[in-house]
């Protein structure tokens, strides 16, 4: 009988412990408005100060902060050789599932690190992860006012989709096919400018942004020059298909070849953006065209603002995909670009895979990351003031293939005054190596020219001497006559 009581007591303690663990969870399965989301993010930063940093990136039109939580073993700095990754949710304010699953994903990473989960700990120690749960907090606050019983508007409507200036943020980024670029730049919204600056100033390698209304992983390009809805492939189409397939294949239903939402028909749960429908000013294309980052757009729910009772299911469906996609930041090709003389990293060197014409640039410490599928590539690295280096490289499956590039400086520095300015800048005088054959040829020409010059000089001297003797003879003859 005593044994039974001990077993019962053990089970009771186990149950109470599990209940206590549940109570310790910071994020529950409810919708979190701006104030609730902000409180949760501050709680994360307070509870895990050694591996998080909360960044107030900027403000929305209605002065709500666009929060970014950074997760890293050395938060706040770019560590040499460590790739940077980002997730952005809730770009359309009424598409809210991503906002919730990203809050849960943050907690799963922080909890995993605390529990010494090997995979998660390794990711946090070797990746700078940045997560923005809501890019459009103003739109969310408007969307949440729709009555809960108005299922049609909450699932398929547009209330809260745009920002407070009635602008669709996913049509507001500078586009590669824009004709009037000045007009586009002047029309950028506060939220767009904040995220654009974030993209421009950080060496992100991989990214994804999340939406609702369908179930599919969408990859660039999002549009075409004539705005037609046809397949618009980048030169890295194989990489983008792999990225999208990684997300969809790790989702329990996204990859299935049957319609998950009304109107959907996506093979393997992926689609080229422009083939689905053309979008001008999309964020994923801006990332790829204007920065190092490869970004896809993931639609994670048929209903845009679903009931709270579905949120746990959405989290479970996306948890593995979020993690597996993040791990891809450690694939492809990576290394350092260094100065041969100083052995220091070179910032801003271009790493160009020659058949793709999409160079990425090295970060401030000379480190670079270039996503590639396994295969053989010819890679050229160049920077003004250095001799370029080209290598044939075999990129393997799994973790990134490591390859450093050592560049030899050329020329020497001198000062040149800017036109119309008193500022002086250092300019490189480029010196190119002269072929040996050319040097020999020029030397022979110079010797021949010198020989001809000497011969001509001798002839002229001899001629003038003879003419002088003749004149003396004539003079003498004249003066001896009577």
């Amino acid at each position: 009988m005593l044994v039974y009581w001990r077993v019962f007591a053990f089970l009771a303690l186990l149950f109470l412990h599990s209940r206590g663990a549940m109570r310790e969870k910071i994020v529950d399965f409810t919708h979190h408005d701006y104030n609730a989301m902000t409180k949760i993010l501050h709680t994360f930063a307070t509870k895990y100060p050694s591996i998080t940093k909360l960044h107030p990136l900027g403000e929305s039109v209605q002065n709500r902060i666009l929060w970014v939580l950074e997760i890293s073993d050395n938060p706040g700095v770019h560590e040499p050789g460590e790739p940077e990754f980002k997730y952005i949710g809730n770009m359309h304010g009424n598409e809210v599932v991503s906002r919730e699953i990203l809050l849960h994903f943050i907690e799963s990473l922080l909890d995993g690190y605390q529990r010494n989960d090997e995979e998660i700990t390794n990711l946090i120690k070797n990746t700078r992860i940045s997560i923005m749960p809501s890019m459009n907090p103003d739109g969310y606050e408007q969307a949440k006012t729709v009555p809960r019983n108005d299922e049609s508007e909450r699932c398929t409507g547009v209330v809260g989709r745009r920002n407070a200036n009635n602008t669709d943020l996913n049509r507001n980024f500078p586009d590669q096919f824009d004709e009037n670029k000045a007009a586009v730049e002047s029309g950028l919204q506060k939220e767009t400018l904040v995220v654009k600056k974030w993209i421009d100033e950080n060496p992100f390698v991989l990214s994804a942004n999340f939406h609702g209304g369908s179930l599919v992983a969408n990859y660039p390009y999002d549009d075409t020059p004539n705005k037609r809805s046809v397949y618009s492939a980048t030169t890295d189409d194989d990489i983008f298909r792999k990225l999208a397939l990684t997300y969809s294949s790790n989702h329990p239903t996204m990859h299935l070849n049957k319609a998950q939402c009304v109107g959907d028909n996506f093979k393997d749960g992926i689609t080229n953006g422009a083939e689905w429908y053309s979008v001008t000013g999309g964020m994923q294309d801006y990332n790829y065209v204007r920065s190092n980052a490869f970004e896809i757009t993931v639609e994670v729910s048929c209903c845009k603002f679903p009931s709270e009772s579905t949120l746990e299911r959405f989290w479970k469906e996306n948890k593995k995909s979020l993690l597996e996609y993040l791990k891809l930041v450690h694939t492809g090709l990576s290394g350092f670009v260094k100065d041969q003389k100083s052995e220091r990293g070179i910032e801003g060197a271009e790493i160009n895979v020659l058949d793709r014409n999409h160079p990425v640039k090295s970060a401030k410490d000379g480190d670079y990351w270039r996503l590639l599928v396994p295969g053989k590539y010819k890679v050229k690295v160049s920077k003004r003031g250095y001799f370029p280096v080209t290598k044939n490289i075999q990129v393997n499956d799994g973790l990134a293939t490591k390859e450093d590039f050592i560049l030899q400086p050329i020329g020497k520095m001198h000062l040149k005054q800017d036109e119309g300015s008193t500022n002086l800048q250092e300019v490189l005088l480029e010196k190119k190596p002269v072929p040996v054959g050319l040097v020999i040829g020029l030397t022979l020409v110079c010797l021949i020219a010198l020989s001809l010059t000497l011969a001509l000089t001798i002839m002229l001297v001899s001629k003038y001497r003879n003419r002088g003797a003749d004149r003396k003879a004539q003079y003498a003859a004249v003066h001896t006559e009577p």
Side-chain angles (χ1 to χ4, degrees), residues 212-249:
S214 291
L215 202 63
V216 65
N218 165 3
Y219 55 91
Y221 288 124
D222 254 342
D223 67 346
T224 60
N226 58 14
K227 314 306 178 187
R228 294 177 56 197
S229 294
V230 295
Y231 201 106
S232 183
T234 70
T235 55
D236 288 306
D237 195 62
D238 54 350
I239 301 169
F240 277 115
R241 289 181 61 83
K242 176 184 176 180
L243 296 175
L245 276 169
T246 297
Y247 199 97
S248 69
S249 63

Side-chain angles (χ1 to χ4, degrees), residues 104-159:
H104 285 286
F105 186 61
I106 290 170
E107 184 160 30
S108 72
L109 292 177
L110 301 180
D111 181 63
Y113 187 88
Q114 189 177 56
R115 292 185 291 102
N116 293 317
D117 179 282
E118 184 177 355
E119 183 176 51
I120 291 177
T121 299
N122 185 57
L123 274 172
I124 291 175
K125 285 184 175 181
N126 294 285
T127 322
R128 191 183 187 193
I129 306 165
S130 298
I131 300 178
M132 177 186 283
S134 179
M135 182 178 166
N136 188 2
D138 296 350
Y140 181 95
E141 295 303 307
Q142 184 183 12
K144 78 174 187 178
T145 65
V146 175
R148 292 177 182 241
N149 59 1
D150 189 349
E151 186 175 342
S152 176
E153 177 59 42
R154 288 173 75 89
C155 280
T156 61
V158 296
V159 175

Side-chain angles (χ1 to χ4, degrees), residues 407-421:
L407 304 189
Q408 179 185 351
I410 58 177
K412 55 186 177 180
M413 308 300 287
H414 78 98
L415 293 175
K416 179 181 179 181
Q417 191 166 9
D418 289 338
E419 293 183 7
S421 171

Side-chain angles (χ1 to χ4, degrees), residues 91-92 161 167-181 184 188 221-229 273-274 277-286:
M91 188 178 193
H92 289 145
R161 173 186 174 88
T167 298
D168 189 327
L169 297 179
N170 204 34
R171 309 291 189 278
N172 193 232
F173 280 81
D175 192 88
Q176 61 178 324
F177 303 122
D178 285 333
E179 294 182 358
N180 190 343
K181 298 187 183 299
V184 171
L188 299 184
Y221 288 124
D222 254 342
D223 67 346
T224 60
N226 58 14
K227 314 306 178 187
R228 294 177 56 197
S229 294
Y277 60 90
S278 183
V279 170
T280 299
M283 184 166 66
Q284 70 174 11
D285 281 11
Y286 180 82

